[in-house]
Amino acid sequence: MKLYEKLADEMTEAVRRGVFAAGERIPSVRQASQQHGVSIKTVLHAYALLESRGIVETRPQSGYFVRDAVATAAALDEPRLSRKPVAQTQPVAAAVDVSRLVLSTLRSIRAHDAVPFGSPYPDPSLFPWRRINQYANAIARRQASWNLMDDLPPGNPELIRQIARRYAENGVPVDPDEIIITLGATEAINLSLQAVAKPGDTVAVESPTYYAMLHAIERLGMRAIEVATHPVHGIDIEALAQVIARQKIAACMVMPNFQNPLGFQMPDERKQQLVDLLAAHEIPAIENDVYQELYFGEARPSTLKNFDTKGLVLHCASFSKSLTASYRIGWAMPGRYRAQVEKLKFLNTLTTPSVPQVAVADYLRQDGYDRHLRHVRKVYRQQASIMMAMVQRFFPTGTRMSTPQGGYVLWVELPERVDSMRLYQAALSRSITIGPGMMFSMRNDFRHFIRLNYSYPWTAQTEAALKTLGELVAQMAR
Amino acid sequence: MKLYEKLADEMTEAVRRGVFAAGERIPSVRQASQQHGVSIKTVLHAYALLESRGIVETRPQSGYFVRDAVATAAALDEPRLSRKPVAQTQPVAAAVDVSRLVLSTLRSIRAHDAVPFGSPYPDPSLFPWRRINQYANAIARRQASWNLMDDLPPGNPELIRQIARRYAENGVPVDPDEIIITLGATEAINLSLQAVAKPGDTVAVESPTYYAMLHAIERLGMRAIEVATHPVHGIDIEALAQVIARQKIAACMVMPNFQNPLGFQMPDERKQQLVDLLAAHEIPAIENDVYQELYFGEARPSTLKNFDTKGLVLHCASFSKSLTASYRIGWAMPGRYRAQVEKLKFLNTLTTPSVPQVAVADYLRQDGYDRHLRHVRKVYRQQASIMMAMVQRFFPTGTRMSTPQGGYVLWVELPERVDSMRLYQAALSRSITIGPGMMFSMRNDFRHFIRLNYSYPWTAQTEAALKTLGELVAQMAR
């Protein structure tokens, strides 16, 4: 290995480890020359290599900066609109059956000790697992026993208070009495949908949509209608209006912040338009806001609740993406449907386990949740930037990708000839997993799309895996 | 207080505390006279009082024994058959809506720091709470983090293995691959019912039935038909056959062991007949067996699974009554419906929290679960006996009651003029709770029935509360 290559690898590693964060200046050529005891020429050569890798970028009269792909215009085009606007395609509500594919995919991901680009879950090593478990242990020590009766729906009062406090601090209008603790957002979404619609009803969803939305519809024997969704602006409100004009819609399920898989943050004025449109037709909106704390911008984004005057928004969220996945603590704020959701919670699983509720409440009250979140947001933003640079570097021409505004997944459109299910199989045999596009729709529109998880630390092994993936894509694109 | 009354109270307290267990001989008159330094006459007087209280009984040539109401013929008549056999009453399937009553009842019980005769849950102080929490804590210490992916349905493999082992040791045919971990038996029952029936279908249940059965039916928008159920033999199989002959039944939900609220253990030959009848019509049986470990007899009773040759039995159980309620660990063994139930678990709540699963598995593998169970069974049997004696002592003529064969609830039929909802309110204002009979049926048949929980330690306060309750009943019976 040449000296400049060695230096470039060292610098890449430093960026990977967050020594230099996205957007930060790296040492000047002169500084680096002194620090590493190499010639100016070697540093220049190394920095040129870093630039070609997409790790750094030069700014005139300023020097070299770690590239921040999230903040700058995406290097690649954004993915194309999932499908033509609805008016031209006559969308048809369809019964849903995607859970088999999703479950078998997750199973394969688990079975293989593989590079987890396909995982829907965040890297658990980022969670303050030991801290939260210490709270759980303290509860177990100070209480001689636990009476299940104390945590009947709506849930532990102190946890509810802490959740309400966080919303209030972020400008989201909230009444603590509205909050119902659930088993993760999954249950919150299920109960919300059951509260507002019945079997056979038609529900509007984004396209692509997070598959848990489709699962909720499938579980209740409802029908889904997919509405074109823009990778930057979110659900196509005009298309939705046309759907509503044409047929009875029992509910609309959306993820306005850092949508999985697209990663957009719906602008405030569009959130307002969406709430207004639905309110005009008295259609309940089920808002999945599980990534609310994982924003890359300056402040926590607004929610549909901020624009809801009629109590039609059923807001669902959880701590599973930001604090602890294995505790399975979620909640619903179901607006005017509160009583129904609470009753359904009671019928569905009786209560959410007690100690996890109290442990999270104690952590929120006493510990550094905001400090933890600041760290996680910085890490994710850094890793989003690296993943984007690497896709640009390793994937063939014709590849497009999203620019996530939060969360930890990247949505990649491959050249049209690539079948992501075949890619999934080929990658799996090389111990690499991906999220095939078919999981996010009932239609065939996303056959050549994949979702990549960037929450895990970027290592040499990760980089080699993404390179391999790019080669597979290139082969299949021919 | 007279000397003999003081001695009688001391002896009553000793029985309460389990110094003398049900069926055991208490000190002879001579021994007691010496031990307490009182005259033979005083002891005889005290023992006569104990006998009149129903605490002890004399056996010719043997002396005085702690009365074992569970083993001997019940002092009071058994409750009457819930209703006339079905052939005479033309039962009608009805949509179900009992959850509101149940939830509001549980709420009141919680809100009042009351004597918990009305609680559906066992006394949590009997659970080995600290031991299990120690296992949970050990897991948290030895693992740096937890990957949710590792516990996708069907659930933690070691927990599944431990559950399978216990069934195998008790002669229940079991394939570990059949077991699916759920959030308590509540979720197991819900998923099982959804796997075999659809909205609008009719489901046969016992009458009275455990209200969670009715909740599952209500949640899924199905209809229930109640079948007369004998307080000793269980569901009336002939009546069920007539229902089946008359209309399409999608499933039958039963609780063959220590049914809540009746407490019976269905004899083996009747379990066999029930399974055969349902198998002949290809009707799935959902068996709720949450009290399986809380038997008063010599050995764990059989389950419907023991007689199932066609995979039509969906067996549901949990650790919530016998080991830990707040961990919410249940499971389903759904026979031929395994794939459907597993998929529904995935859709309903994704996974059951991980640490509780592993902590229970570790406890089962390493700790004294069987020793714990032997203790709990002894305590419950003792307390059943005392509760029965006290109902006989304090309640007016015309009262009837069940003879529980396991579990921790007593079913009491009051004189017909007593409205148990009025009694419930009157008792609540005196800080006493009861389970009104209306919770266990969609019909009006159990208006004058109540369920009493005897899992809590029998104290002077408990006794005073039951005496007050008996007085209220007597007033209302007039």
Side-chain angles (χ1 to χ4, degrees):
Chain A
M1 187 185 285
K2 300 231 174 88
L3 199 56
Y4 78 90
E5 287 175 335
K6 192 161 162 291
L7 177 58
D9 283 358
E10 277 175 30
M11 294 296 292
T12 303
E13 183 60 24
V15 172
R16 274 173 196 150
R17 284 186 289 111
V19 175
F20 306 114
E24 264 185 19
R25 196 169 181 272
I26 63 170
S28 70
V29 175
R30 181 182 309 271
Q31 285 168 327
S33 159
Q34 287 168 355
Q35 284 163 8
H36 295 273
V38 295
S39 71
I40 296 280
K41 195 180 151 200
T42 300
V43 175
L44 280 171
H45 213 152
Y47 280 18
L49 182 56
L50 285 175
E51 197 173 355
S52 79
R53 281 183 183 169
I55 299 287
V56 304
E57 60 191 3
T58 55
R59 296 188 198 160
Q61 273 91 47
S62 302
Y64 292 84
F65 289 77
V66 178
R67 198 159 157 275
D68 183 354
V70 170
T72 56
L76 299 181
D77 288 342
E78 66 199 24
R80 273 167 294 189
L81 252 192
S82 49
R83 34 200 300 246
K84 298 204 181 61
V86 74
Q88 297 157 41
T89 58
Q90 297 285 354
V92 180
V96 182
D97 182 18
V98 297
S99 64
R100 201 175 306 266
L101 170 64
V102 174
L103 187 52
S104 77
T105 306
L106 294 183
R107 284 263 169 63
S108 317
I109 291 173
R110 171 174 62 168
H112 294 70
D113 187 20
V115 178
F117 295 142
S119 172
Y121 307 121
D123 175 9
S125 72
L126 277 172
F127 291 140
W129 160 262
R130 283 181 196 281
R131 297 290 298 163
I132 295 183
N133 281 303
Q134 279 165 9
Y135 287 103
N137 189 35
I139 296 156
R141 273 201 313 265
R142 74 173 181 251
Q143 293 247 160
S145 64
W146 196 277
N147 195 341
L148 201 62
M149 201 75 107
D150 292 338
D151 286 317
L152 288 177
N156 180 271
E158 179 59 20
L159 177 60
I160 287 173
R161 209 179 66 77
Q162 291 296 329
I163 293 169
R165 179 182 59 78
R166 292 192 65 80
Y167 277 111
E169 285 171 6
N170 283 283
V172 179
V174 61
D175 172 1
D177 286 344
E178 192 186 329
I179 297 173
I180 294 159
I181 304 298
T182 58
L183 202 80
T186 304
E187 191 182 36
I189 292 166
N190 277 328
L191 304 182
S192 294
L193 185 58
Q194 188 168 2
V196 301
K198 54 185 195 309
D201 282 356
T202 298
V203 178
V205 296
E206 295 158 319
S207 185
T209 181
Y210 178 42
Y211 48 71
M213 304 293 214
L214 296 176
H215 288 170
I217 295 167
E218 177 181 343
R219 169 180 167 275
L220 292 164
M222 299 173 184
R223 300 165 73 76
I225 190 161
E226 296 189 26
V227 179
T229 298
H230 191 275
V232 175
H233 311 308
I235 194 164
D236 184 329
I237 291 168
E238 189 160 330
L240 178 61
Q242 289 169 17
V243 167
I244 291 171
R246 197 180 301 134
Q247 65 187 108
K248 182 153 173 41
I249 298 295
C252 179
M253 304 179 86
V254 290
M255 205 165 172
N257 294 320
F258 324 126
Q259 196 243 22
N260 182 345
L262 288 169
F264 59 77
Q265 174 181 329
M266 216 175 161
D268 276 4
E269 66 273 20
R270 288 189 170 257
K271 285 175 180 158
Q272 174 83 65
Q273 286 166 14
L274 176 61
V275 170
D276 289 350
L277 170 65
L278 295 172
H281 297 85
E282 294 281 324
I283 297 173
I286 296 169
E287 174 181 39
N288 178 356
D289 203 22
V290 288
Y291 298 115
Q292 58 188 356
E293 303 278 17
L294 303 179
Y295 52 89
F296 295 162
E298 292 300 309
R300 192 156 101 162
S302 65
T303 72
L304 296 190
K305 275 281 183 195
N306 289 82
F307 307 98
D308 180 28
T309 54
K310 297 176 90 174
L312 280 168
V313 173
L314 299 94
H315 178 95
C316 304
S318 83
F319 291 111
S320 298
K321 313 301 184 194
S322 51
L323 181 61
T324 166
S326 55
Y327 274 41
R328 313 281 303 114
I329 303 289
W331 63 91
M333 295 201 294
R336 65 164 83 156
Y337 305 97
R338 191 200 168 285
Q340 292 95 311
V341 170
E342 185 183 37
K343 192 178 90 170
L344 288 168
K345 165 63 187 174
F346 179 62
L347 297 187
N348 195 44
T349 52
L350 191 55
T351 76
T352 300
S354 318
V355 171
Q357 291 192 61
V358 182
V360 169
D362 286 351
Y363 175 87
L364 292 177
R365 198 175 56 238
Q366 300 172 38
D367 219 304
Y369 187 39
D370 284 310
R371 193 173 58 240
H372 159 72
L373 287 171
R374 278 194 297 275
H375 173 68
V376 170
R377 286 196 290 264
K378 192 177 143 195
V379 169
Y380 283 170
R381 187 175 168 145
Q382 176 97 344
Q383 289 175 188
S385 200
I386 296 177
M387 175 73 92
M388 291 170 74
M390 295 297 157
V391 167
Q392 185 182 1
R393 183 173 161 204
F394 295 130
F395 279 46
T397 314
T399 300
R400 296 158 167 247
M401 67 181 168
S402 62
T403 303
Q405 300 301 307
Y408 51 82
V409 297
L410 186 68
W411 183 241
V412 182
E413 179 178 0
L414 306 172
E416 277 207 33
R417 294 190 53 185
V418 181
D419 176 340
S420 66
M421 285 310 296
R422 274 188 58 222
L423 179 65
Y424 169 78
Q425 291 300 339
L428 203 58
S429 71
R430 288 159 180 85
S431 287
I432 303 164
T433 66
I434 56 170
M438 313 279 283
M439 296 200 298
F440 304 91
S441 170
M442 304 168 303
R443 306 171 57 98
N444 210 21
D445 299 333
F446 304 105
R447 209 182 48 82
H448 62 295
F449 287 70
I450 59 173
R451 185 189 66 180
L452 299 177
N453 180 323
Y454 54 75
S455 70
Y456 288 81
W458 193 262
T459 65
Q461 190 207 4
T462 323
E463 188 161 318
L466 199 71
K467 186 160 183 275
T468 302
L469 201 57
E471 288 163 4
L472 289 172
V473 171
Q475 283 166 27
M476 292 184 177
R478 271 181 218 130
Chain B
M1 188 186 282
K2 301 231 173 88
L3 197 58
Y4 78 90
E5 286 175 336
K6 192 161 163 293
L7 177 59
D9 283 357
E10 277 175 33
M11 294 295 292
T12 302
E13 182 60 23
V15 171
R16 275 174 196 150
R17 283 185 291 110
V19 175
F20 306 114
E24 264 185 21
R25 195 168 180 274
I26 63 171
S28 70
V29 174
R30 180 182 308 271
Q31 284 168 330
S33 159
Q34 286 166 359
Q35 284 163 10
H36 296 273
V38 296
S39 71
I40 296 278
K41 191 177 154 205
T42 300
V43 176
L44 278 171
H45 213 149
Y47 279 19
L49 181 57
L50 285 177
E51 197 175 354
S52 78
R53 282 182 183 171
I55 298 286
V56 302
E57 58 191 3
T58 55
R59 295 189 199 159
Q61 273 91 47
S62 302
Y64 292 84
F65 289 76
V66 178
R67 197 158 159 274
D68 184 353
V70 170
T72 56
L76 299 181
D77 288 341
E78 66 199 24
R80 273 167 294 190
L81 252 192
S82 49
R83 35 198 301 246
K84 297 205 181 62
V86 74
Q88 298 157 39
T89 58
Q90 296 286 356
V92 180
V96 181
D97 183 17
V98 297
S99 65
R100 199 175 307 266
L101 171 64
V102 174
L103 187 52
S104 78
T105 305
L106 294 183
R107 283 265 169 64
S108 316
I109 292 175
R110 172 173 63 167
H112 294 69
D113 188 21
V115 178
F117 295 142
S119 171
Y121 307 120
D123 175 9
S125 72
L126 276 172
F127 291 140
W129 158 264
R130 284 182 196 280
R131 298 288 298 162
I132 296 184
N133 281 305
Q134 279 165 9
Y135 286 103
N137 189 35
I139 296 157
R141 273 200 314 264
R142 75 172 181 253
Q143 294 248 157
S145 65
W146 196 276
N147 195 339
L148 202 61
M149 201 75 108
D150 293 338
D151 286 317
L152 288 177
N156 180 271
E158 178 59 20
L159 177 59
I160 288 173
R161 209 180 64 77
Q162 291 296 330
I163 292 170
R165 179 181 60 76
R166 292 192 65 81
Y167 277 112
E169 286 172 5
N170 284 283
V172 179
V174 60
D175 172 1
D177 286 343
E178 192 185 328
I179 296 173
I180 294 159
I181 305 299
T182 58
L183 202 80
T186 305
E187 191 183 34
I189 292 167
N190 277 328
L191 305 181
S192 293
L193 185 58
Q194 188 168 3
V196 301
K198 56 184 193 310
D201 281 357
T202 298
V203 178
V205 296
E206 296 158 317
S207 186
T209 181
Y210 178 43
Y211 49 70
M213 305 293 214
L214 296 176
H215 288 170
I217 295 168
E218 177 181 342
R219 169 179 168 273
L220 292 163
M222 299 174 184
R223 299 166 73 76
I225 189 161
E226 297 189 26
V227 178
T229 298
H230 190 276
V232 175
H233 310 309
I235 194 166
D236 184 328
I237 292 168
E238 189 159 332
L240 178 62
Q242 288 170 17
V243 167
I244 292 171
R246 196 179 303 134
Q247 66 187 107
K248 182 151 172 44
I249 298 296
C252 178
M253 305 180 86
V254 289
M255 205 166 175
N257 294 319
F258 324 127
Q259 196 244 24
N260 181 345
L262 289 170
F264 60 76
Q265 175 181 329
M266 216 176 161
D268 276 3
E269 66 272 20
R270 286 189 172 258
K271 285 176 180 157
Q272 174 81 66
Q273 287 167 14
L274 177 61
V275 170
D276 289 350
L277 170 65
L278 295 172
H281 296 85
E282 294 281 324
I283 297 173
I286 297 170
E287 174 182 37
N288 179 356
D289 204 21
V290 288
Y291 298 115
Q292 57 188 358
E293 303 278 16
L294 302 180
Y295 52 87
F296 294 162
E298 291 300 310
R300 192 156 99 160
S302 65
T303 73
L304 295 190
K305 274 281 182 195
N306 288 81
F307 307 98
D308 180 29
T309 55
K310 298 175 90 171
L312 280 169
V313 173
L314 298 95
H315 178 96
C316 303
S318 84
F319 290 110
S320 299
K321 313 301 184 196
S322 50
L323 181 61
T324 166
S326 55
Y327 275 41
R328 313 281 304 115
I329 303 290
W331 62 92
M333 296 202 293
R336 66 163 82 157
Y337 304 97
R338 191 201 169 285
Q340 293 95 308
V341 170
E342 185 183 37
K343 193 178 90 171
L344 288 169
K345 165 64 188 174
F346 179 62
L347 297 187
N348 195 46
T349 53
L350 191 54
T351 77
T352 300
S354 317
V355 171
Q357 290 193 62
V358 182
V360 169
D362 287 352
Y363 175 87
L364 293 177
R365 198 175 57 239
Q366 300 172 38
D367 220 303
Y369 187 38
D370 284 310
R371 192 173 59 242
H372 159 72
L373 288 171
R374 277 194 297 275
H375 173 67
V376 171
R377 286 195 290 263
K378 193 178 144 195
V379 169
Y380 283 170
R381 188 177 168 144
Q382 177 97 344
Q383 287 174 190
S385 200
I386 295 176
M387 175 74 91
M388 291 170 73
M390 294 298 156
V391 168
Q392 185 182 3
R393 182 173 161 203
F394 294 128
F395 279 45
T397 312
T399 301
R400 295 159 166 247
M401 68 181 166
S402 62
T403 303
Q405 300 301 306
Y408 51 81
V409 297
L410 185 69
W411 183 240
V412 182
E413 179 178 0
L414 306 172
E416 277 206 35
R417 295 190 52 184
V418 181
D419 177 340
S420 65
M421 285 309 297
R422 274 189 59 222
L423 178 65
Y424 169 78
Q425 291 299 342
L428 203 57
S429 71
R430 288 159 179 84
S431 287
I432 303 165
T433 66
I434 56 170
M438 311 280 282
M439 296 200 298
F440 304 92
S441 171
M442 305 167 302
R443 307 170 58 96
N444 208 20
D445 298 334
F446 304 106
R447 209 182 47 83
H448 62 296
F449 288 71
I450 59 173
R451 185 188 68 178
L452 300 176
N453 180 324
Y454 54 75
S455 71
Y456 288 80
W458 192 262
T459 65
Q461 191 207 4
T462 323
E463 189 162 317
L466 199 70
K467 185 159 183 277
T468 302
L469 201 58
E471 287 163 2
L472 289 172
V473 171
Q475 283 165 27
M476 292 185 179
R478 270 181 218 129

